[in-house]
Amino acid sequence: MNELKMNGQEESPTLKRKVPSKSLLLAVWAAGIGGTFQCGYNTSIINAPTKAVQSFINQTWTERYNTEISSQVLTLLWSTIVSIFTLGGLVGASVGGTLAIRFGRKGTLLFNNTFALLAAFFMGLSYPSSTFELLIVGRFLTGVNAGIAICVQPMYIGEIAPRALRGAMAMGTSIFITGGILTGQVIGLNELLGKEEYWPILLSTVCIPAIMQLLTLPWFPESPRYLLIDRGDDVACKKALMWFHGPDKYHGEKEDIERERVSAGGIKPKKPWELFTDTSLRWQLLTLVVIHMSQQLNGINAIYFYADYVFTQAGIPAAKIPYATVGTGACECITALTCGLLIESLGRRALIIGGYFLMSVCCVCFTIALTFQESSPWVPYLSMMCVFAFILSFGLGPGGVTNILTTELFTQTSRPAAYMIGGSINWIAFFFIGMIFPFIVNGLKQYCFLVFLVVCCLVATYIFFVVPETKNKTFLEIQSEFQSRKKLIAANGTEGPLLSTPI
């Protein structure tokens, strides 16, 4: 009993700390502004100058070859400019973990800004040089930047945050993605940089978040876990912990890191293919694949695809639809902030399972609303409600919790490789849904949401039976729960649900 009491007293300062320090909040901001903010910003910023860029391509083609470009070639070139971002993201995710091991989490984030600055240079130069190919190069580089950022930034934030605030701080990843999307939508309005003549400046603004990060992030320490476990630098680790948590509150975190270092026992960081051959990580890896693949296949892209049609049917004038679209971005951003406030009280399981459940309900309602879209004047407004409800549900659950789980399900030696696998799956699924979604819509029409209904239900069921609650647990405790499940299966010869009582 005394031992338990001592342990409780030892851990209570960490677990009771519900307010992050100013240094920690500033570090999260510095990592996010040039990290996943860029991913969201570059996803949405390309929508505004569509007609202007196509006009530029047509003009350049005519000047070169003395003939107008065919509609098929123009569509191909524009599709390449848009979709090459996904290929760049896949490349970035494939190397992000390796860079994080070699240069550190902070060092990789700083180096990553090189791609954003080069992208801004090439895209800004495309118009004065009459070279539309530079737009393809620039978009590819923005994709590489986004792929590395979405791999390394959650790692950095998850490793610098105290255990009691790990979920809330890690929500910075989703908050900055949605904030980037919203900012791109606002900047792309006609009142700002959305006018046709401003498109080179609009696409070059990707340099601004990069410069902001280069000016702020160097003032913050490297990840304490990386310093101690990967580099073996005890002094630097202690200084970093004191910087992030204060000189009187870092001891509990230091002990957690020490235990994880002892557990690692000198094991080198694993390569992605080594995770597939490690049977002790089978369930964590399967969970990683499921949650990252479903993040793209759950219907959120379909909702945005249908949004303009729904807004038009509701009677919103075509000139006002961009403002309604900004509303969807604001909706997702506010939800990410709400999720950050709730995640440490409700836990990860409740939010992600609840999010998928609500998305399933929205899929049913949206299918019904689209089927009877013209039967009554109030049905289009029901469709609008479904659009916003689906986005809210996504932001509350899958949009916010997925990256946190990737950090928490793996220990220091396997985490970079896990992010490389998860990020690659995410980008491949993003590309895949972009390729096949038009065919799904053409074939199934509004009934395509029944496919997403099945996906949401299956993922929610899987998480309910397999994924434990990770709130307020060390990485070693989470790993131990998965190990206990494996031993239970070996002893009983049956598969049982991996449920966990919350702390």
Side-chain angles (χ1 to χ4, degrees):
M1 179 71 79
N2 290 334
E3 184 180 351
L4 289 174
K5 188 179 290 185
M6 288 175 64
N7 288 338
Q9 290 173 347
E10 187 178 350
E11 293 182 3
S12 60
T14 301
L15 295 179
K16 285 184 179 179
R17 192 187 310 132
K18 295 299 182 183
V19 180
S21 67
K22 185 188 298 183
S23 299
L24 184 61
L25 284 174
L26 290 173
V28 170
W29 183 90
I33 194 64
T36 52
F37 179 89
Q38 287 276 40
C39 180
Y41 187 72
N42 285 296
T43 299
S44 66
I45 201 71
I46 197 65
N47 295 324
T50 299
K51 292 181 179 178
V53 173
Q54 288 179 347
S55 176
F56 163 68
I57 294 172
N58 190 21
Q59 178 185 344
T60 304
W61 188 279
T62 303
E63 291 173 356
R64 284 185 192 175
Y65 306 110
N66 295 319
T67 181
E68 284 197 4
I69 191 172
S70 67
S71 60
Q72 292 87 348
V73 176
L74 179 61
T75 302
L76 176 63
L77 287 173
W78 174 246
S79 299
T80 302
I81 291 171
V82 175
S83 61
I84 199 73
F85 175 76
T86 308
L87 180 60
L90 177 60
V91 172
S94 301
V95 301
T98 303
L99 293 174
I101 294 169
R102 181 163 185 176
F103 300 112
R105 284 49 164 158
K106 170 188 160 184
T108 301
L109 287 172
L110 290 172
F111 170 74
N112 191 34
N113 290 298
T114 306
F115 297 107
L117 294 174
L118 286 173
F121 174 75
F122 286 130
M123 291 191 290
L125 191 63
S126 62
Y127 181 75
S129 65
S130 297
T131 311
F132 58 77
E133 291 85 354
L134 290 179
L135 291 175
I136 299 175
V137 175
R139 285 288 292 175
F140 175 79
L141 291 174
T142 59
V144 175
N145 172 269
I148 294 174
I150 208 166
C151 176
V152 180
Q153 183 202 312
M155 229 188 300
Y156 179 69
I157 295 177
E159 291 177 5
I160 67 174
R163 194 197 324 171
L165 292 170
R166 194 168 58 218
M169 293 297 97
M171 277 303 300
T173 299
S174 296
I175 291 170
F176 278 100
I177 289 178
T178 56
I181 292 172
L182 177 60
T183 304
Q185 291 170 340
V186 172
I187 295 292
L189 294 174
N190 281 334
E191 288 80 357
L192 296 174
L193 295 178
K195 292 183 179 178
E196 186 170 345
E197 61 268 26
Y198 294 151
W199 72 262
I201 300 174
L202 177 65
L203 295 182
S204 298
T205 53
V206 299
C207 68
I208 297 175
I211 293 171
M212 293 175 71
Q213 186 174 73
L214 287 170
L215 292 175
T216 55
L217 189 58
W219 297 97
F220 297 93
E222 179 58 87
S223 159
R225 289 181 181 275
Y226 174 79
L227 291 171
L228 185 60
I229 299 175
D230 292 81
R231 290 288 179 86
D233 192 339
D234 186 78
V235 175
C237 172
K238 184 176 178 180
K239 287 182 179 179
L241 286 170
M242 291 175 67
W243 177 282
F244 288 124
H245 309 307
D248 56 340
K249 297 180 181 178
Y250 76 93
H251 298 89
E253 295 299 321
K254 180 70 159 56
E255 289 168 7
D256 285 346
I257 299 174
E258 284 282 6
R259 283 193 288 268
E260 192 171 340
R261 180 173 70 162
V262 172
S263 176
I267 299 174
K268 293 182 178 180
K270 295 181 179 180
K271 303 292 190 295
W273 54 86
E274 292 176 333
L275 263 62
F276 287 100
T277 59
D278 189 343
T279 56
S280 67
L281 296 174
R282 182 181 62 173
W283 284 104
Q284 292 98 310
L285 191 59
L286 179 59
T287 301
L288 178 78
V289 172
V290 168
I291 62 176
H292 276 278
M293 187 175 292
S294 60
Q295 194 173 30
Q296 295 298 334
L297 304 181
N298 57 28
I300 187 65
N301 297 302
I303 285 290
Y304 280 113
F305 179 87
Y306 267 101
D308 284 2
Y309 166 74
V310 170
F311 294 148
T312 302
Q313 291 295 106
I316 298 176
K320 301 296 182 183
I321 285 180
Y323 301 95
T325 305
V326 169
T328 63
C331 177
E332 193 171 355
C333 189
I334 292 170
T335 310
L337 288 167
T338 304
C339 184
L341 297 174
L342 295 176
I343 194 165
E344 294 301 349
S345 56
L346 297 180
R348 286 58 157 160
R349 277 169 53 87
L351 285 177
I352 194 167
I353 293 172
Y356 274 116
F357 173 76
L358 292 174
M359 289 164 70
S360 301
V361 174
C362 291
C363 282
V364 174
C365 295
F366 202 35
T367 301
I368 295 172
L370 289 175
T371 302
F372 299 100
Q373 187 79 357
E374 299 178 0
S375 62
S376 177
W378 59 267
V379 175
Y381 296 98
L382 175 61
S383 299
M384 281 186 63
M385 290 176 59
C386 290
V387 167
F388 284 99
F390 194 98
I391 293 171
L392 285 167
S393 303
F394 174 79
L396 192 64
V401 181
T402 299
N403 280 311
I404 299 171
L405 286 178
T406 307
T407 299
E408 295 181 326
L409 296 184
F410 296 88
T411 55
Q412 191 76 9
T413 55
S414 54
R415 190 175 297 120
Y419 266 103
M420 291 170 69
I421 294 171
S424 298
I425 289 172
N426 215 317
W427 287 104
I428 291 171
F430 189 15
F431 178 77
F432 176 75
I433 197 69
M435 291 294 291
I436 70 163
F437 181 67
F439 300 100
I440 294 176
V441 173
N442 290 335
L444 298 177
K445 304 299 181 183
Q446 68 271 20
Y447 298 107
C448 68
F449 285 95
L450 297 180
V451 177
F452 303 127
L453 167 65
V454 173
V455 172
C456 291
C457 289
L458 289 177
V459 175
T461 303
Y462 174 86
I463 294 171
F464 179 81
F465 283 108
V466 174
V467 182
E469 179 56 69
T470 57
K471 181 184 72 170
N472 283 343
K473 294 178 183 176
T474 66
F475 298 126
L476 287 179
E477 289 171 344
I478 297 166
Q479 184 185 48
S480 177
E481 289 208 31
F482 279 99
Q483 294 295 332
S484 300
R485 183 185 198 280
K486 183 183 175 185
K487 291 177 182 177
L488 181 64
I489 293 171
N492 299 336
T494 58
E495 299 263 347
L498 179 56
L499 300 179
S500 154
T501 55
I503 292 181

